PDB file of all heavy atoms in Angstrom:
ATOM      1  N   LEU A1185      -3.134   0.211 -32.535  1.00 98.00           N
ATOM      2  CA  LEU A1185      -3.533  -0.073 -33.859  1.00 98.00           C
ATOM      3  C   LEU A1185      -3.802   1.226 -34.496  1.00 98.00           C
ATOM      4  O   LEU A1185      -3.481   1.416 -35.739  1.00 98.00           O
ATOM      5  CB  LEU A1185      -4.711  -1.013 -33.891  1.00 98.00           C
ATOM      6  CG  LEU A1185      -4.353  -2.418 -33.395  1.00 98.00           C
ATOM      7  CD1 LEU A1185      -5.638  -3.235 -33.319  1.00 98.00           C
ATOM      8  CD2 LEU A1185      -3.345  -3.146 -34.260  1.00 98.00           C
ATOM      9  N   MET A1186      -4.410   2.182 -33.867  1.00 98.00           N
ATOM     10  CA  MET A1186      -4.665   3.567 -34.418  1.00 98.00           C
ATOM     11  C   MET A1186      -3.467   4.209 -34.795  1.00 98.00           C
ATOM     12  O   MET A1186      -3.372   4.735 -35.953  1.00 98.00           O
ATOM     13  CB  MET A1186      -5.580   4.338 -33.407  1.00 98.00           C
ATOM     14  CG  MET A1186      -6.998   4.141 -33.519  1.00 98.00           C
ATOM     15  SD  MET A1186      -7.801   5.169 -32.277  1.00 98.00           S
ATOM     16  CE  MET A1186      -7.553   6.838 -32.772  1.00 98.00           C
ATOM     17  N   ALA A1187      -2.429   4.139 -33.885  1.00 98.00           N
ATOM     18  CA  ALA A1187      -1.097   4.873 -34.156  1.00 98.00           C
ATOM     19  C   ALA A1187      -0.591   4.214 -35.361  1.00 98.00           C
ATOM     20  O   ALA A1187       0.000   4.871 -36.341  1.00 98.00           O
ATOM     21  CB  ALA A1187      -0.237   4.703 -33.024  1.00 98.00           C
ATOM     22  N   LYS A1188      -0.622   2.884 -35.469  1.00 98.00           N
ATOM     23  CA  LYS A1188      -0.003   2.227 -36.636  1.00 98.00           C
ATOM     24  C   LYS A1188      -0.753   2.577 -37.896  1.00 98.00           C
ATOM     25  O   LYS A1188      -0.182   2.901 -39.024  1.00 98.00           O
ATOM     26  CB  LYS A1188      -0.214   0.606 -36.468  1.00 98.00           C
ATOM     27  CG  LYS A1188       0.616  -0.087 -37.579  1.00 98.00           C
ATOM     28  CD  LYS A1188       0.427  -1.593 -37.322  1.00 98.00           C
ATOM     29  CE  LYS A1188       0.975  -2.305 -38.406  1.00 98.00           C
ATOM     30  NZ  LYS A1188       0.371  -3.646 -38.737  1.00 98.00           N
ATOM     31  N   ALA A1189      -2.106   2.721 -37.867  1.00 98.00           N
ATOM     32  CA  ALA A1189      -2.821   3.029 -39.082  1.00 98.00           C
ATOM     33  C   ALA A1189      -2.618   4.514 -39.434  1.00 98.00           C
ATOM     34  O   ALA A1189      -2.622   4.780 -40.613  1.00 98.00           O
ATOM     35  CB  ALA A1189      -4.370   2.888 -38.683  1.00 98.00           C
ATOM     36  N   GLN A1190      -2.074   5.218 -38.539  1.00 97.00           N
ATOM     37  CA  GLN A1190      -1.811   6.664 -38.825  1.00 97.00           C
ATOM     38  C   GLN A1190      -0.350   6.869 -39.106  1.00 97.00           C
ATOM     39  O   GLN A1190       0.086   8.005 -39.343  1.00 97.00           O
ATOM     40  CB  GLN A1190      -2.219   7.573 -37.675  1.00 97.00           C
ATOM     41  CG  GLN A1190      -3.784   7.756 -37.447  1.00 97.00           C
ATOM     42  CD  GLN A1190      -4.160   8.365 -36.136  1.00 97.00           C
ATOM     43  OE1 GLN A1190      -3.390   8.537 -35.273  1.00 97.00           O
ATOM     44  NE2 GLN A1190      -5.446   8.681 -36.066  1.00 97.00           N
ATOM     45  N   GLY A1191       0.397   5.779 -39.268  1.00 97.00           N
ATOM     46  CA  GLY A1191       1.836   5.931 -39.729  1.00 97.00           C
ATOM     47  C   GLY A1191       2.916   5.533 -38.795  1.00 97.00           C
ATOM     48  O   GLY A1191       4.038   5.649 -39.144  1.00 97.00           O
ATOM     49  N   ALA A1192       2.524   5.334 -37.588  1.00 98.00           N
ATOM     50  CA  ALA A1192       3.589   4.834 -36.558  1.00 98.00           C
ATOM     51  C   ALA A1192       4.088   3.449 -37.104  1.00 98.00           C
ATOM     52  O   ALA A1192       3.287   2.748 -37.624  1.00 98.00           O
ATOM     53  CB  ALA A1192       3.000   4.778 -35.200  1.00 98.00           C
ATOM     54  N   LYS A1193       5.244   3.278 -36.625  1.00 98.00           N
ATOM     55  CA  LYS A1193       5.849   1.855 -36.910  1.00 98.00           C
ATOM     56  C   LYS A1193       6.071   1.092 -35.696  1.00 98.00           C
ATOM     57  O   LYS A1193       6.644   1.566 -34.629  1.00 98.00           O
ATOM     58  CB  LYS A1193       7.224   2.044 -37.603  1.00 98.00           C
ATOM     59  CG  LYS A1193       7.862   0.889 -38.133  1.00 98.00           C
ATOM     60  CD  LYS A1193       9.042   1.376 -39.043  1.00 98.00           C
ATOM     61  CE  LYS A1193       9.871   0.027 -39.154  1.00 98.00           C
ATOM     62  NZ  LYS A1193      11.131   0.390 -39.626  1.00 98.00           N
ATOM     63  N   ILE A1194       5.542  -0.156 -35.700  1.00 98.00           N
ATOM     64  CA  ILE A1194       5.696  -1.016 -34.470  1.00 98.00           C
ATOM     65  C   ILE A1194       7.131  -1.624 -34.559  1.00 98.00           C
ATOM     66  O   ILE A1194       7.415  -2.503 -35.359  1.00 98.00           O
ATOM     67  CB  ILE A1194       4.678  -2.004 -34.338  1.00 98.00           C
ATOM     68  CG1 ILE A1194       3.339  -1.354 -34.152  1.00 98.00           C
ATOM     69  CG2 ILE A1194       4.875  -2.979 -33.173  1.00 98.00           C
ATOM     70  CD1 ILE A1194       2.041  -2.294 -34.109  1.00 98.00           C
ATOM     71  N   ILE A1195       8.013  -1.167 -33.684  1.00 98.00           N
ATOM     72  CA  ILE A1195       9.293  -1.720 -33.677  1.00 98.00           C
ATOM     73  C   ILE A1195       9.401  -3.065 -32.965  1.00 98.00           C
ATOM     74  O   ILE A1195      10.131  -3.917 -33.283  1.00 98.00           O
ATOM     75  CB  ILE A1195      10.360  -0.723 -32.933  1.00 98.00           C
ATOM     76  CG1 ILE A1195      10.366   0.630 -33.755  1.00 98.00           C
ATOM     77  CG2 ILE A1195      11.859  -1.340 -32.837  1.00 98.00           C
ATOM     78  CD1 ILE A1195      11.065   0.571 -35.080  1.00 98.00           C
ATOM     79  N   MET A1196       8.628  -3.131 -31.942  1.00 98.00           N
ATOM     80  CA  MET A1196       8.601  -4.366 -31.083  1.00 98.00           C
ATOM     81  C   MET A1196       7.282  -4.492 -30.453  1.00 98.00           C
ATOM     82  O   MET A1196       6.526  -3.489 -30.137  1.00 98.00           O
ATOM     83  CB  MET A1196       9.651  -4.067 -30.001  1.00 98.00           C
ATOM     84  CG  MET A1196       9.994  -5.366 -29.146  1.00 98.00           C
ATOM     85  SD  MET A1196      11.357  -4.957 -28.054  1.00 98.00           S
ATOM     86  CE  MET A1196      11.386  -6.535 -27.373  1.00 98.00           C
ATOM     87  N   GLY A1197       6.721  -5.722 -30.247  1.00 98.00           N
ATOM     88  CA  GLY A1197       5.563  -5.932 -29.493  1.00 98.00           C
ATOM     89  C   GLY A1197       4.327  -5.670 -30.358  1.00 98.00           C
ATOM     90  O   GLY A1197       4.272  -5.869 -31.592  1.00 98.00           O
ATOM     91  N   GLY A1198       3.286  -5.057 -29.647  1.00 97.00           N
ATOM     92  CA  GLY A1198       2.077  -4.688 -30.344  1.00 97.00           C
ATOM     93  C   GLY A1198       1.048  -5.568 -30.285  1.00 97.00           C
ATOM     94  O   GLY A1198      -0.024  -5.443 -30.611  1.00 97.00           O
ATOM     95  N   LYS A1199       1.337  -6.816 -29.879  1.00 97.00           N
ATOM     96  CA  LYS A1199       0.338  -7.951 -29.803  1.00 97.00           C
ATOM     97  C   LYS A1199      -0.249  -8.158 -28.427  1.00 97.00           C
ATOM     98  O   LYS A1199       0.509  -7.758 -27.369  1.00 97.00           O
ATOM     99  CB  LYS A1199       0.840  -9.188 -30.320  1.00 97.00           C
ATOM    100  CG  LYS A1199       1.115  -9.146 -31.837  1.00 97.00           C
ATOM    101  CD  LYS A1199       1.115 -10.523 -32.477  1.00 97.00           C
ATOM    102  CE  LYS A1199       2.179 -10.617 -33.502  1.00 97.00           C
ATOM    103  NZ  LYS A1199       3.583 -10.464 -33.113  1.00 97.00           N
ATOM    104  N   ARG A1200      -1.329  -8.753 -28.250  1.00 97.00           N
ATOM    105  CA  ARG A1200      -2.045  -8.999 -27.039  1.00 97.00           C
ATOM    106  C   ARG A1200      -2.617 -10.382 -26.873  1.00 97.00           C
ATOM    107  O   ARG A1200      -3.196 -10.949 -27.931  1.00 97.00           O
ATOM    108  CB  ARG A1200      -3.285  -7.995 -27.011  1.00 97.00           C
ATOM    109  CG  ARG A1200      -4.244  -8.288 -25.927  1.00 97.00           C
ATOM    110  CD  ARG A1200      -5.515  -7.564 -26.311  1.00 97.00           C
ATOM    111  NE  ARG A1200      -6.533  -7.952 -25.257  1.00 97.00           N
ATOM    112  CZ  ARG A1200      -7.613  -7.442 -25.155  1.00 97.00           C
ATOM    113  NH1 ARG A1200      -8.069  -6.575 -26.000  1.00 97.00           N
ATOM    114  NH2 ARG A1200      -8.495  -7.928 -24.209  1.00 97.00           N
ATOM    115  N   LYS A1201      -2.392 -10.936 -25.742  1.00 96.00           N
ATOM    116  CA  LYS A1201      -3.125 -12.232 -25.374  1.00 96.00           C
ATOM    117  C   LYS A1201      -3.901 -12.057 -24.153  1.00 96.00           C
ATOM    118  O   LYS A1201      -3.313 -11.827 -23.091  1.00 96.00           O
ATOM    119  CB  LYS A1201      -2.047 -13.372 -25.270  1.00 96.00           C
ATOM    120  CG  LYS A1201      -2.644 -14.671 -25.234  1.00 96.00           C
ATOM    121  CD  LYS A1201      -1.572 -15.796 -25.265  1.00 96.00           C
ATOM    122  CE  LYS A1201      -2.267 -17.034 -24.955  1.00 96.00           C
ATOM    123  NZ  LYS A1201      -1.748 -17.742 -23.768  1.00 96.00           N
ATOM    124  N   GLU A1202      -5.209 -11.988 -24.244  1.00 97.00           N
ATOM    125  CA  GLU A1202      -6.102 -11.618 -23.149  1.00 97.00           C
ATOM    126  C   GLU A1202      -5.624 -10.388 -22.541  1.00 97.00           C
ATOM    127  O   GLU A1202      -5.641  -9.260 -23.304  1.00 97.00           O
ATOM    128  CB  GLU A1202      -6.185 -12.781 -22.135  1.00 97.00           C
ATOM    129  CG  GLU A1202      -6.903 -14.016 -22.736  1.00 97.00           C
ATOM    130  CD  GLU A1202      -6.853 -15.193 -21.936  1.00 97.00           C
ATOM    131  OE1 GLU A1202      -6.047 -15.316 -20.997  1.00 97.00           O
ATOM    132  OE2 GLU A1202      -7.640 -16.047 -22.176  1.00 97.00           O
ATOM    133  N   ARG A1203      -5.109 -10.312 -21.298  1.00 98.00           N
ATOM    134  CA  ARG A1203      -4.793  -9.039 -20.655  1.00 98.00           C
ATOM    135  C   ARG A1203      -3.258  -8.770 -20.771  1.00 98.00           C
ATOM    136  O   ARG A1203      -2.748  -7.780 -20.208  1.00 98.00           O
ATOM    137  CB  ARG A1203      -5.307  -9.084 -19.142  1.00 98.00           C
ATOM    138  CG  ARG A1203      -6.822  -8.997 -19.147  1.00 98.00           C
ATOM    139  CD  ARG A1203      -7.393  -9.372 -17.779  1.00 98.00           C
ATOM    140  NE  ARG A1203      -7.044 -10.762 -17.443  1.00 98.00           N
ATOM    141  CZ  ARG A1203      -7.569 -11.854 -18.071  1.00 98.00           C
ATOM    142  NH1 ARG A1203      -8.644 -11.538 -18.896  1.00 98.00           N
ATOM    143  NH2 ARG A1203      -7.226 -13.010 -17.669  1.00 98.00           N
ATOM    144  N   LEU A1204      -2.602  -9.643 -21.398  1.00 98.00           N
ATOM    145  CA  LEU A1204      -1.195  -9.511 -21.532  1.00 98.00           C
ATOM    146  C   LEU A1204      -0.900  -8.817 -22.782  1.00 98.00           C
ATOM    147  O   LEU A1204      -1.281  -9.195 -23.755  1.00 98.00           O
ATOM    148  CB  LEU A1204      -0.424 -10.850 -21.583  1.00 98.00           C
ATOM    149  CG  LEU A1204      -0.263 -11.707 -20.372  1.00 98.00           C
ATOM    150  CD1 LEU A1204       0.304 -13.152 -20.544  1.00 98.00           C
ATOM    151  CD2 LEU A1204       0.716 -10.993 -19.391  1.00 98.00           C
ATOM    152  N   ILE A1205      -0.294  -7.626 -22.661  1.00 98.00           N
ATOM    153  CA  ILE A1205       0.067  -6.739 -23.743  1.00 98.00           C
ATOM    154  C   ILE A1205       1.527  -6.809 -23.917  1.00 98.00           C
ATOM    155  O   ILE A1205       2.272  -6.452 -22.911  1.00 98.00           O
ATOM    156  CB  ILE A1205      -0.383  -5.325 -23.488  1.00 98.00           C
ATOM    157  CG1 ILE A1205      -1.804  -5.146 -23.094  1.00 98.00           C
ATOM    158  CG2 ILE A1205       0.082  -4.398 -24.751  1.00 98.00           C
ATOM    159  CD1 ILE A1205      -2.741  -4.958 -24.273  1.00 98.00           C
TER     160      ILE A1205
END
Side-chain angles (χ1 to χ4, degrees):
L1185 294 176
M1186 268 175 74
K1188 188 178 173 213
Q1190 291 168 347
K1193 186 170 166 198
I1194 300 177
I1195 300 288
M1196 189 174 182
K1199 287 198 224 56
R1200 161 195 179 181
K1201 188 169 171 243
E1202 296 174 338
R1203 291 159 300 284
L1204 284 171
I1205 307 269

